[in-house]
Amino acid sequence: MQIAIDGPAGAGKSTIAKIIAKELGILYLDTGAMYRAITYGIWKNKIDFSDQKAIADFTKENTIDFKGTDVYLSGEKVTEEIRLPIVSRHTSDVACIGEVRRLLVGQQQSIAGCHSVIMDGRDIGSVVLPKADYKFYLDASIDERARRRAIEQQARGIDQDFDSIRESIAVRDYNDSHRDEGPLVCTEDAIVVDTTGKSIEEVCQVILDNIRGGKAHVL
Ligand code: CDP
Ligand code: CDP
C-alpha cells in the first residue's frame, strides 16, 4: 500500500502520517527530514548554499538513515539539529536543486518498492508516488500553521518569535510552490483536507474513513 501526504509547512502532515502508519502497521517516511538532513550537513560543513554542484556532491557522498524516531546523516544523529531555524530557512534552497531531488526521490522510491508506506512531503503524490493508492493534501491557514510551529519550537527550547516563524513559513511555501522540479502541488486526484481549527484526531478520522472506504467527508 502506498499513501501520499502533501501540503505546506505546518499543515500537520508528519503528525498525522505517523499516527496513520501506526494504525495501519505500515512504514512512515518523513521525506522533509531527508532534505533537512542534507541542509544541516551543508551548513555544518560550511558549504556555500549557492554552490549547487558542491551540494549535489555532498548529497551523493552522504547517507541518510532513520532508526525509530531518530534521523542520522552518515552515522551522526541529527534529529534535533535538522529542526534549527537556520536549517528551516535554507532547506528550500537545497530542495530546488534538480540533482539533489533526483537522488532523494530515487531513495524514497526504492523504499516504497519494498515496503507498504505512508510518505509526507511536497512532491509525493505528483513525483515520488504518482500511482499511490491514496493521496491527501493537507492545508491550514498560515496563521494557524505558524501558531502550531511556534508552540513546537518553544517546547524544543528554540527561541523564535511568531512573526519570524510566520515569515519563514511564507517564504518557504512560496519557494516550494514555485520551483521548477517537484514543486508543491495539489494533484487532481488528491483528497483535500483543510485542518484549520481541527484536532489531530478529527483529521486522522477523515483520512482513515477514506482509506477504509467508510463514509468519508472532506473537512
Ligand atoms: O515540516 P515542515 O512542513 O516544516 O517541512 P518539512 O516537511 O520538514 O520539509 C522541509 C523542506 O524540505 C520543505 O520546505 C521543502 O523545501 C523540502 N521538501 C521538499 O522539497 N520535498 C519534499 N518531498 C519534502 C520536503
Ligand atoms: O509536517 P507538517 O509540517 O505539515 O506539520 P506537523 O509538523 O505534523 O504539525 C505541526 C504542529 O501542528 C505539530 O506540533 C502538531 O501537533 C500540530 N497540529 C495540530 O495542532 N493540529 C492538527 N490538526 C495537526 C497538527
Side-chain angles (χ1 to χ4, degrees):
M1 181 193 280
Q2 295 183 342
I3 305 173
I5 306 220
D6 291 298
K13 302 180 297 297
S14 58
T15 306
I16 305 295
K18 265 180 230 161
I19 298 171
I20 303 291
K22 215 169 176 184
E23 189 74 24
L24 300 178
I26 62 175
L27 185 76
Y28 163 58
L29 186 68
D30 178 355
T31 66
M34 298 173 75
Y35 290 92
R36 285 175 177 272
I38 296 298
T39 305
Y40 171 70
I42 298 299
W43 174 69
K44 197 180 166 208
N45 287 282
K46 301 190 168 51
I47 296 169
D48 194 327
F49 277 109
S50 63
D51 189 343
Q52 300 205 347
K53 162 124 188 19
I55 296 174
D57 287 346
F58 182 89
T59 309
K60 249 178 249 161
E61 289 155 10
N62 286 274
T63 56
I64 301 162
D65 295 292
F66 294 90
K67 285 176 203 153
T69 54
D70 286 319
V71 186
Y72 292 79
L73 177 65
S74 292
E76 183 196 348
K77 188 159 114 180
V78 296
T79 317
E80 292 301 321
E81 291 81 351
I82 64 171
R83 305 291 160 191
L84 289 169
I86 183 80
V87 174
S88 297
R89 248 196 323 277
H90 285 289
T91 305
S92 51
D93 300 336
V94 169
C96 71
I97 302 170
E99 183 63 9
V100 171
R101 298 204 73 80
R102 278 187 287 282
L103 289 163
L104 297 188
V105 167
Q107 292 172 25
Q108 292 153 14
Q109 288 175 331
S110 58
I111 292 169
C114 45
H115 297 276
S116 280
V117 69
I118 179 164
M119 274 189 210
D120 78 313
R122 303 295 187 286
D123 59 342
I124 309 303
S126 55
V127 176
V128 183
L129 305 175
K131 294 186 177 151
D133 302 286
Y134 301 95
K135 297 182 185 178
F136 297 95
Y137 186 91
L138 303 192
D139 208 348
S141 72
I142 179 132
D143 282 332
E144 174 137 347
R145 292 187 286 118
R147 247 192 322 272
R148 291 175 182 172
R149 205 29 60 84
I151 293 168
E152 241 176 19
Q153 293 296 65
Q154 217 173 13
R156 285 195 184 106
I158 297 173
D159 185 24
Q160 197 182 6
D161 66 88
F162 176 82
D163 288 343
S164 88
I165 290 176
R166 192 183 187 283
E167 171 67 12
S168 160
I169 284 181
V171 169
R172 204 142 56 85
D173 286 349
Y174 182 87
N175 290 340
D176 288 343
S177 309
H178 289 83
R179 65 177 170 236
D180 291 336
E181 291 202 43
L184 167 64
V185 283
C186 177
T187 58
E188 269 183 16
D189 51 354
I191 295 162
V192 180
V193 184
D194 183 352
T195 73
T196 312
K198 301 290 183 287
S199 71
I200 292 166
E201 293 72 22
E202 282 175 297
V203 179
C204 283
Q205 199 52 55
V206 173
I207 290 183
L208 285 170
D209 283 349
N210 273 279
I211 293 171
R212 290 175 172 152
K215 264 194 276 152
H217 63 289
V218 175
L219 292 171

